[in-house]
Every structure is written in C-alpha cells, then in structure tokens.
Amino acid sequence: MEDTQSVAMLMESTTSKIQQLQKAFAELESHRAITLNLKWKELEEHFHGLEKSLKRRFHELEDQEKEFESKTRLAQQLLEKRQAAVMAKEQASLERLQEKRDSAAFAIANALEKHRKLSSEEPVVQSDRGNEAPGTEEKPPYSVAFEGNSEDIKNTVESGNLEVTYPELVKLCEEMDSEGLHKFISDNRKNLAALKEEIPYAFKAAASPALLVLDSLKGFYHTEVPNADGKKDSNLLGLRRTCIMLMECLSSFLSNLDVVSMSAVISEDIKEQAKAIAEEWKPKLDVLDMDASNGNSLEAHAFLQLLATFGIASDFNEEEFSRLIPMVSRRRQTADLCRSLGLSEKMPGVIEVLVNNGRQIDAVNLAFAFELTEQFSPVPLLKSYLKDARKVSSPIKPGNTSPTAQTEVNERELTALKAVIKCIEDHNLEEQYPVEPLQKQVLALEKAKADKKRATEAAKPQPKRPRANSAGQGPRVTNVAADMTFYPRVADRYLQYVYERPYVYPAPADNHGPSLLPPATYNFSPSHGNYFGNGYQYQASYIH
C-alpha cells in the first residue's frame, strides 16, 4: 500500500518537472548558436502522452487489486461457512451418538430391572415346589420364574405393568402348539401390532421358545406349491409373514435375557436344528432374481432373520448371504438385520449395487440408515432416479405412440415423482431439494390424466333414449337389450374408477388374505422399463 502511495506522489510531481524542463530548455535555446530542429511543443506533447499512459496503467492496476481483495474476502466467507457446516454436522453426529448411548443404557437398565424382579420371585416359586421329590429335572434358568399354568404367567406379566390382552397366546405357548399359534395369529391379523408386543412375554410360558419357533417354520415352503406360484398364494404369504414375525418376537425375547439364560434358550442342539433348516432353504434362494424380488422378498428376509435370531451366521459364507440384502432393501427391518449379521461394513457395496440397478430410493434410505450420505449424496441420486424415469417414459417415436402407451408413460412418470417427493419428506431434504417444482409436475400430470379420462368417457356411445309419442301415449321402448346392459356397464365403470384412484393410501392391510389394493412394489425389470411402476407407495408400512 505504501508503494502505491509513493507511485501516486511521483506521478503528481511530473507536471512540475515538465515546467522545470521547459525553463531549462528556454535557457539553453537562448545560448545556442545553431538553431535546433526540435521544438519545445513536440517535447511537451510527448511527455504529456507518457504521463496519461502511466496514469491509465496505474488505475488498471488499482482496479485489479480491488477485485483480488474482494475475491479473497468472498473465499474467506465461504471457507468460514463450510467450517461452520462441518462443525454443525459433527455436533449433530455427537448428539445422535449420545442419544443412542442413552437409549442403550436405558434398555440395559430395564433388562437388569426385569431380571431382578424375576430373581426376587424365584424363591417364592421354589417354595411352592418344596415337596417335590429330589432328582426332578430342573427347568432352564429363563423359565424358573414362570413355572405353573398360564394364569401364573398372566399375573407375572401384570406385575410388570403389562396387561395381558390375549391369554390364549400364553396357553398356546405353554402347550407348544405352533399350528394353533399360526391359526390364532391369522384369526387376529387385524391386531398384529398388539400381538407382536405380547408374544415375547407369552414365550416365557413355553418349555422351549426356540423350539416352538422352529416348529412354526414348517410349511414355509409348501412342496405342492411351486416357488413362482407361491407369490400369488395369499395364505402362503400370510404364513411366511407370520414365521418372520415369530422369529422377530423370539429375538425380542432373547434381548431381555442375560448371557446364561440366552445360552439355555439357544442351545447347541437348537442351533443345529436351525442350521439344518437354513441349509434346506439355501438352495431355494439361489434361484431368486434381485430385480424380480423388488426389494421385498419374504424368502430372503426369512433366511436372514433365521441366521440372525439363532446366531448361526458364522456357519455360512458372508458373501453368499450378503448378496440377499438388495432383495430385502425395502423391508423396514433391513437395517437392523444387517447390523445383527455384522454387515455394516458391506453396506457401501450394497448401496452401490442398488444404484447401478436403478433403485436409487432404496439406496438413499440405506445411506441414511448407516450414515453414508457423505459417500452417497441423496439429492444427486434422487435426480438421477427422475432422469431415468423420464428417459424410460419418453417414447421413441411420438407419432407412433398409442393412447394406451402414452397413458402408461405418464403414469410411470407420475409415480416416480411421487416416490421422490415422499423420500424428500421422509428425510427432511426440502432445503437441498425443493419439492414445489415436483409437486407442480405432479399436478400437471394428474390434470392431464383426469382430462384424458373425461374425454374417454365422453367418447363412449350412449344408449338411445325412448321418444315420446305425439299422440300423448307413453314412451315406446325401442331397444330393451341396450337398456338392460347399460346399467351393469355404468356400475362396472364406477367400480373400476374406485380401484384406480391414484391417491389411495393403503392402511394396514390384511396380511393373510387378498387385499383390495395392489401391493406397494416397483415392478423392476433388467431393462429398467418398469422401475417406476408404483414408486409413490414405496414407504408403505410393513406390519410384520
């Protein structure tokens, strides 16, 4: 800065120096003996031209210096903002970690409290058995506090501030009746959430809860039902969901036991039986196609849950069962399953597979579940999903596209937009990816769909109306057959409209019988042609 000021002062002194030079030149000219060809006017113009050029260059340098300083300040501000964002993310991660620690400590405290309650009740139960002959076989440690009939179990559960709503569950577990347990769950499938909470407590009445669950897995693969047809059998689908739910309930039951009691429940003999079932299921999983499973495969989910619940994952090749994760990527239990099986380190590879197969929404959900959003940025993935949807939806030759094909194209793009909006809202990405433009596109497509439907209905031929007789007689029916068939056709049309409404949101459905609404699936295919078939219902809740 000092150099700049000194240069400016020197430039200002040029005028005085030129005047001094003029005086010297005049004095020289007065003493000359020979006339000089050089005139003072020419010298003056030359020096003034040099002065102007120097000043112009000086101002240019000043402007460049100011521009450089402004860019430096802007870069400093951006750097400070990024540092603040990094610190905020670190603080948020620390808070989430602390919340997980607190919840884990709370769960451990609850488990210890329940164990102390059971231990305090143990002498009372043993005193009731004081007259029992010596040499009687002892019960496993986990069931000492629950000897007796189902009424004892009910009283014990009530003492733990949990009211038994379904005492039949306790009775069925006490009798080790796996078939009756399946039937009871099927009959009460509308209350699956309540059943899932009570079944772990009802397991305490069973002589061997693990063996009861293993027995319940019989019939998961019906020999008389081909594997492909099994996906269409509603009864078989309900049975498979119940099997998965019972294994999850057993895992919940085991989580409240100490190491000794857990070893008593999952003995080496139980593990061998579970391993035998897994070996029997494994060849049937080899024929499953990842695209055909739509990320919602009950077969793959049951196999992984079997490994996790009975702790036999180490007996199988990790690479073999980790390839099944993309087949269950839409199941809400997937993240917990992966953690139980020790596959957290494999998740970047799984997410990469999902991205490469056009299932970016599954990839985004798993990236959030395993905190991999830095490696797999959600917004570019969602934009890529929409780009692929529009690419698939664009007809090759618009002039040759039939109205039906164009309707399907619009429907695929509409469901893709709704799926992206749902994902943005679920993960609070509105600031990074505003949903207003997407919602406008949804409204435009829905309006076009409604206009198309009205135009189609208006184009349908209407039945002839009876004409009145000019003589005052009653109307003459000219086409009885047309009138007879008209009303059923109207009824059919309105029934069809009810089932095709795009804004139908499925409530907790009957998981053991056919549903009125189609299942929430993507209908993927290797050509990516149907990746966007039902994307908006992507986050449909799974009961079990």
Side-chain angles (χ1 to χ4, degrees):
M1 190 66 185
E2 293 179 358
D3 295 339
T4 305
Q5 292 178 353
S6 62
V7 171
M9 292 176 64
L10 290 173
M11 292 176 60
E12 291 176 356
S13 64
T14 54
T15 304
S16 62
K17 291 185 182 297
I18 291 173
Q19 292 176 355
Q20 293 175 5
L21 182 61
Q22 183 182 6
K23 291 180 181 179
F25 188 83
E27 184 178 356
L28 177 64
E29 192 176 27
S30 63
H31 291 86
R32 69 184 174 85
I34 303 173
T35 304
L36 297 176
N37 295 328
L38 187 63
K39 300 296 182 180
W40 167 248
K41 193 66 176 177
E42 296 175 356
L43 288 175
E44 187 179 16
E45 291 177 356
H46 174 70
F47 282 115
H48 280 301
L50 291 176
E51 182 183 10
K52 291 180 181 179
S53 177
L54 183 61
K55 287 184 178 181
R56 183 174 63 254
R57 183 58 181 164
F58 178 74
H59 291 316
E60 289 177 357
L61 290 175
E62 279 187 332
D63 293 339
Q64 291 179 1
E65 184 180 5
K66 291 179 181 178
E67 184 180 358
F68 176 76
E69 290 177 354
S70 63
K71 288 182 178 179
T72 303
R73 286 195 299 269
L74 181 60
Q76 185 67 26
Q77 292 174 358
L78 291 176
L79 181 60
E80 291 176 357
K81 288 182 180 180
R82 290 183 180 179
Q83 289 177 347
V86 171
M87 293 179 63
K89 288 183 179 180
E90 290 179 354
Q91 185 63 29
S93 299
L94 290 175
E95 291 177 357
R96 287 197 299 269
L97 181 60
Q98 187 61 39
E99 290 177 359
K100 291 180 180 179
R101 288 177 178 174
D102 294 342
S103 62
F106 182 73
I108 293 173
N110 284 343
L112 291 175
E113 182 66 24
K114 291 179 181 179
H115 182 66
R116 281 196 293 270
K117 287 182 180 180
L118 299 182
S119 300
S120 63
E121 294 176 3
E122 182 176 349
V124 178
V125 178
Q126 288 180 344
S127 62
D128 293 339
R129 297 168 56 89
N131 297 328
E132 189 173 358
T136 304
E137 182 180 358
E138 295 183 357
K139 296 277 185 175
Y142 66 87
S143 62
V144 171
F146 299 98
E147 295 173 352
N149 55 23
S150 58
E151 191 64 29
D152 297 330
I153 307 299
K154 177 178 179 179
N155 296 334
T156 303
V157 175
E158 288 177 346
S159 68
N161 297 325
L162 284 171
E163 182 181 357
V164 173
T165 309
Y166 301 99
E168 298 90 341
L169 281 176
V170 178
K171 187 173 184 299
L172 290 169
C173 291
E174 184 183 20
E175 296 173 352
M176 296 287 289
D177 186 358
S178 60
E179 293 184 2
L181 189 59
H182 264 286
K183 185 178 184 304
F184 182 81
I185 293 173
S186 178
D187 293 341
N188 296 273
R189 55 185 175 270
K190 294 183 179 179
N191 301 315
L192 285 178
L195 288 175
K196 194 171 182 180
E197 291 183 0
E198 289 202 15
I199 289 175
Y201 293 94
F203 278 159
K204 297 176 182 179
S208 177
L211 185 60
L212 176 62
V213 172
L214 288 178
D215 289 340
S216 71
L217 302 181
K218 296 176 181 178
F220 189 90
Y221 286 98
H222 276 318
T223 55
E224 65 273 10
V225 178
N227 194 28
D229 296 338
K231 300 182 184 299
K232 303 176 183 178
D233 189 339
S234 60
N235 293 327
L236 180 58
L237 291 176
L239 182 144
R240 289 177 173 177
R241 293 190 181 98
T242 301
C243 291
I244 294 173
M245 186 185 76
L246 289 175
M247 287 190 285
E248 291 174 347
C249 291
L250 180 60
S251 296
S252 177
F253 170 76
L254 295 173
S255 65
N256 294 322
L257 301 180
D258 55 22
V259 177
V260 176
S261 300
M262 187 183 300
S263 300
V265 177
I266 307 295
S267 61
E268 291 300 322
D269 180 59
I270 291 293
K271 285 188 176 182
E272 288 299 323
Q273 294 185 47
K275 184 179 178 182
I277 294 175
E279 292 287 357
E280 180 184 353
W281 287 0
K282 185 175 174 296
K284 300 176 181 179
L285 297 173
D286 294 336
V287 300
L288 289 179
D289 181 28
M290 185 183 71
D291 292 329
S293 65
N294 299 328
N296 193 23
S297 171
L298 293 177
E299 298 92 329
H301 185 184
F303 180 80
L304 295 173
Q305 190 68 56
L306 180 65
L307 301 185
T309 300
F310 292 91
I312 57 174
S314 59
D315 295 326
F316 294 85
N317 188 344
E318 186 178 274
E319 295 295 334
E320 292 182 359
F321 62 78
S322 63
R323 78 172 184 86
L324 300 176
I325 300 301
M327 300 183 187
V328 296
S329 57
R330 287 187 55 212
R331 308 288 291 174
R332 62 175 176 80
Q333 305 94 331
T334 301
D336 293 334
L337 267 179
C338 292
R339 296 187 184 99
S340 300
L341 295 170
L343 297 177
S344 297
E345 295 182 357
K346 299 282 186 181
M347 295 316 297
V350 172
I351 295 174
E352 191 70 33
V353 170
L354 293 172
V355 172
N356 293 336
N357 283 273
R359 294 165 59 178
Q360 290 91 336
I361 291 184
D362 290 353
V364 169
N365 290 331
L366 288 180
F368 273 100
F370 289 91
E371 299 181 357
L372 295 173
T373 53
E374 293 291 336
Q375 184 175 353
F376 300 94
S377 184
V379 173
L381 288 178
L382 294 177
K383 290 183 178 179
S384 173
Y385 177 76
L386 276 182
K387 182 179 179 181
D388 292 343
R390 294 188 177 100
K391 187 184 301 182
V392 172
S393 300
S394 300
I396 299 176
K397 295 181 179 180
N400 297 334
T401 303
S402 64
T404 304
Q406 186 62 43
T407 301
E408 294 176 356
V409 164
N410 294 340
E411 188 66 26
R412 284 197 296 267
E413 185 175 358
L414 180 63
T415 51
L417 286 167
K418 290 180 179 180
V420 171
I421 293 173
K422 184 72 165 58
C423 188
I424 292 172
E425 293 174 347
D426 288 343
H427 300 296
N428 299 320
L429 296 172
E430 288 86 347
E431 293 184 1
Q432 304 176 41
Y433 197 177
V435 298
E436 288 81 4
L438 302 179
Q439 290 173 343
K440 289 180 180 178
Q441 296 178 37
V442 169
L443 292 175
L445 288 173
E446 287 181 341
K447 183 178 182 300
K449 181 179 178 181
D451 293 343
K452 179 71 173 177
K453 186 176 183 64
R454 284 194 295 268
T456 302
E457 291 183 353
K460 290 182 179 180
Q462 300 295 328
K464 295 181 179 179
R465 295 183 179 180
R467 293 177 298 177
N469 195 321
S470 58
Q473 298 178 0
R476 183 164 52 92
V477 179
T478 59
N479 194 348
V480 178
D483 293 338
M484 292 176 64
T485 59
F486 169 69
Y487 292 100
R489 186 164 61 252
V490 173
D492 291 343
R493 183 171 72 246
Y494 280 97
L495 286 175
Q496 184 181 8
Y497 176 75
V498 170
Y499 288 103
E500 290 180 351
R501 285 182 297 179
Y503 278 112
V504 175
Y505 293 89
D510 184 348
N511 288 295
H512 297 267
S515 173
L516 293 178
L517 292 173
T521 58
Y522 279 112
N523 297 326
F524 293 113
S525 69
S527 63
H528 306 300
N530 293 322
Y531 281 1
F532 319 98
N534 203 5
Y536 192 57
Q537 297 178 2
Y538 169 83
Q539 292 290 343
S541 58
Y542 294 99
I543 302 299
H544 67 291

